[in-house]
Amino acid sequence: MLVPFLFSALDLVAKDMVTNGLVLHISYDIENIAWKQYQGEIVIDRYGRKKPVPAHGTIKLGKYSASTLLLTEKVLDILDENDIKATFFIVDYDDNGKKLIKRALDSGHTIGIHCYDHTYKKIYSSVIEYLKDRDMISQKFYEDFGIRPKYIRFPGGSANTVAGEYNNGIMSKIIKLNHDDGYIYYDWNVTSGDGSSLTNRDMLYNNITSF
């Protein structure tokens, strides 16, 4: 399963950056071979394991931009052109975002929950506040599309150190509660470093191109 984000342009804006193109590097988990969900080329890694060959896609935006909607549209274009199915984790959205989500669903992609309000101080202030936020985005999605998402990606990830600054030990509690409520959470195994205020544009580029 591929687990990218609905692209957030906020990181570009915060770092005074724009882009005129996208390069998408898509890695597949080894388990996809055992599950017979991957039918492409296979290589042997240094440990003697069979691994799916990553896929690549590039696309031009036609202009320099940091638009969330434009970037997400282009990511969907790349996925559709390569017949790749992905999982997008969503935050609160407007009517334009709703159209993109519908397009993703119509293309066979999966939608998971990220959060309603991406404010760590608020959502991690208590278990009740986190669950309230989770249920708000889940209910909105259900009302719009008639589907209850079962996948979750926690803001900052399941092992983030930020949540503890507002409520020590909260992550272990909400991980258990989500499991009890039937949710499955996912983290990530590569990062561009865009979530750090210390990452500049050169570091971001080097991190992405070194995957």
Side-chain angles (χ1 to χ4, degrees), residues 87-177:
T87 301
F88 292 89
F89 293 91
I90 61 170
V91 296
D92 185 26
Y93 53 87
D94 58 14
D95 288 342
N96 289 322
K98 183 178 177 179
K99 293 176 183 177
L100 284 177
I101 293 172
K102 184 178 186 306
R103 176 186 169 186
L105 290 171
D106 290 344
S107 295
H109 302 298
T110 300
I111 301 297
I113 292 172
H114 188 45
C115 57
Y116 188 89
D117 181 354
H118 204 281
T119 305
Y120 288 2
K121 184 177 182 179
K122 179 179 179 181
I123 60 178
Y124 288 139
S125 62
S126 70
V127 171
I128 291 176
E129 282 298 321
Y130 169 80
L131 293 177
K132 184 190 300 182
D133 181 276
R134 182 201 70 181
D135 292 345
M136 283 177 65
I137 188 64
S138 176
Q139 183 62 25
K140 179 173 183 176
F141 184 80
Y142 177 75
E143 291 175 0
D144 286 339
F145 301 102
I147 303 170
R148 289 285 185 190
K150 65 178 180 179
Y151 301 111
I152 280 183
R153 182 193 174 282
F154 298 111
S158 65
N160 79 79
T161 57
V162 179
E165 296 178 10
Y166 307 112
N167 191 318
N168 188 38
I170 190 173
M171 290 309 302
S172 59
K173 296 175 184 177
I174 62 176
I175 286 173
K176 182 180 185 304
L177 285 171

